[in-house]
Amino acid sequence: MKLTKMSHACVRLEKDGRTLVLDPGGFSEEDAALGADAILVTHEHPDHFDEPRLRAAMESNPAAEIWTLRSVAETISSAFPGRVHTVGHGDGFTAAGFDVQVHGELHAVIHPDIPRITNVGYLVDGGKVFHPGDAFTVPDHPVETLMLPVMAPWSKISEVIDYVREVRPQRAYDIHDAYLTDLARPIYDRQIGGLGGAEHLRLTPGASADL
């Protein structure tokens, strides 16, 4: 499996000539979802869900499909009948040849005064990759590669470190990093890498790794 990091929370997974894209939001490249055979969206926030990017991907590939939670599906399903699927915690499905299990139900707390929305994470190919969206969801399955939300309005670095410790992946790649300046990256690299208990890695947008 080939992992390509796009900007912020978006990643592309490629296997056997097919492509799965997760969370092509407004902070990601305009073509982040183009060429996808399947797209997964964790929740409705615009840095994870951008309707024009999804529409462009679906229109460029008439066989492409989307799996997402209800709030996103209701926004875009009428434009692509039969190609947008609603999922929730505990569901399992196959998308573009990838086996996917859904874990999690709620977005992390931003502030007690802000109502929590639904958020789901996606466990791909039996734990090869886990993308939690905007939450510290711990799947009930071993994880090889954790896509780690490294910087967000709803988290602090101690929570990020503890999340890596709890999931216990073989490796953690940074996502949700558009808020993190280059000046601060060495601090996060040192602390997460030194305290998390897993190999801590970072890819620049457009760079890839083989898993």
Side-chain angles (χ1 to χ4, degrees):
M1 184 189 300
K2 179 181 178 182
L3 163 70
T4 301
K5 168 77 166 64
M6 308 303 289
S7 293
H8 197 50
C10 181
V11 297
R12 295 173 66 97
L13 301 176
E14 297 173 66
K15 183 183 70 171
D16 300 330
R18 307 188 75 187
T19 301
L20 177 69
V21 175
L22 295 91
D23 277 6
F27 291 175
S28 302
E29 294 78 6
E30 289 191 9
D31 62 352
L34 290 182
D37 297 289
I39 301 168
L40 311 182
V41 180
T42 63
H43 65 289
E44 65 201 64
H45 284 162
D47 57 325
H48 296 255
F49 162 54
D50 181 77
E51 187 173 344
R53 284 165 172 76
L54 292 189
R55 285 180 175 271
M58 297 288 277
E59 290 166 358
S60 67
N61 179 5
E65 298 178 80
I66 296 171
W67 281 262
T68 187
L69 40 71
R70 185 174 303 279
S71 59
V72 173
E74 289 176 345
T75 301
I76 199 169
S77 59
S78 62
F80 304 101
R83 298 169 62 193
V84 181
H85 312 282
T86 302
V87 297
H89 176 70
D91 288 341
F93 56 92
T94 300
F98 294 84
D99 292 325
V100 183
Q101 294 179 328
V102 183
H103 293 265
E105 298 180 86
L106 292 173
H107 191 289
V109 175
I110 302 172
H111 187 276
D113 290 352
I114 300 176
R116 296 174 73 182
I117 62 170
T118 306
N119 176 95
V120 295
Y122 297 106
L123 187 76
V124 180
D125 278 359
K128 194 80 173 178
V129 174
F130 181 60
H131 190 309
D134 275 6
F136 290 134
T137 302
V138 179
D140 58 356
H141 194 286
V143 173
E144 291 185 26
T145 302
L146 174 65
M147 307 314 300
L148 179 65
V150 69
M151 162 65 84
W154 44 267
S155 72
K156 56 186 180 181
I157 195 168
S158 63
E159 295 172 321
V160 175
I161 292 167
D162 286 345
Y163 182 50
V164 177
R165 289 179 172 182
E166 191 170 3
V167 176
R168 300 177 65 186
Q170 293 181 21
R171 66 192 70 87
Y173 277 99
D174 285 351
I175 58 167
H176 214 282
D177 55 356
Y179 303 107
L180 188 61
T181 70
D182 288 340
L183 286 173
R185 286 187 185 276
I187 299 171
Y188 278 71
D189 291 344
R190 183 173 64 253
Q191 294 188 355
I192 297 171
L195 298 172
E199 184 180 15
H200 177 238
L201 303 162
R202 177 159 42 90
L203 292 171
T204 58
S208 301
D210 291 325
L211 304 179

